[in-house]
Amino acid sequence: MTAATALRIGVVGGSIAGCAAAVAGSRAGADVTVYERSGAELQDRGFGIVIPPPLHRELVASGYLDARMETAPVATRVWLTREPGGRSTRELARQSSPVTPCNWALLWRSLRASAGAGAVSAGRARHLGRRGPRRAGGGHHRAR
């Protein structure tokens, strides 16, 4: 692809899905720009997210997530109940349910790091960086 015909992608939203889309577009050889309207870091936007272990392994192996990102693997789901107004709980059931819970902020930071470059203010949007295909001598190629 020449500089004049290189694919350029704009991703609206720099949250988890937006950063993952930026990584995918960049790896496909596109010049990717991510725009985020929030002026603040997005690290405190959520509590947690659960990823099936095979998907987590795939995301780490393919470089989307940093293997050092902390997780809390869980093998069993426990269902509890409490009587109305009561303080104690009792177990209703146990279910085999292997999952890899991740802190939302850690997941976002890992994807954000994989998406690249530092934030640059662009009006109400926030330019989170531009990634393009690597040139033979290093650096990124950017279509103009």
Side-chain angles (χ1 to χ4, degrees):
M1 229 180 266
T2 67
T5 61
L7 181 62
R8 294 173 64 189
I9 298 173
V11 178
V12 178
S15 190
I16 290 172
C19 288
V23 173
S26 176
R27 289 182 177 185
D31 181 11
V32 180
T33 304
V34 178
Y35 295 94
E36 170 56 44
R37 69 178 172 176
S38 174
E41 296 253 334
L42 300 180
Q43 61 191 16
D44 296 326
R45 302 293 171 154
F47 179 71
I49 190 165
V50 175
I51 302 173
L55 176 59
H56 182 262
R57 286 190 296 274
E58 183 179 336
L59 292 171
V60 169
S62 62
Y64 278 78
L65 299 180
D66 186 334
R68 297 169 297 181
M69 182 183 79
E70 293 182 40
T71 61
V74 175
T76 305
R77 181 177 291 178
V78 179
W79 299 88
L80 303 173
T81 187
R82 179 174 50 196
E83 295 295 328
R87 291 183 176 237
S88 61
T89 60
R90 67 181 174 87
E91 186 176 313
L92 285 176
R94 284 183 179 262
Q95 175 183 22
S96 175
S97 180
V99 293
T100 305
C102 303
N103 175 279
W104 193 97
L106 295 178
L107 179 62
W108 176 77
R109 274 190 232 128
S110 186
L111 285 167
R112 175 67 186 85
S114 293
V120 178
S121 180
R124 289 194 45 119
R126 210 169 118 181
H127 175 138
L128 291 182
R130 195 173 218 143
R131 297 276 300 233
R134 291 253 180 214
R135 285 189 264 190
H140 288 92
H141 171 75
R142 291 192 178 98
R144 301 267 180 213

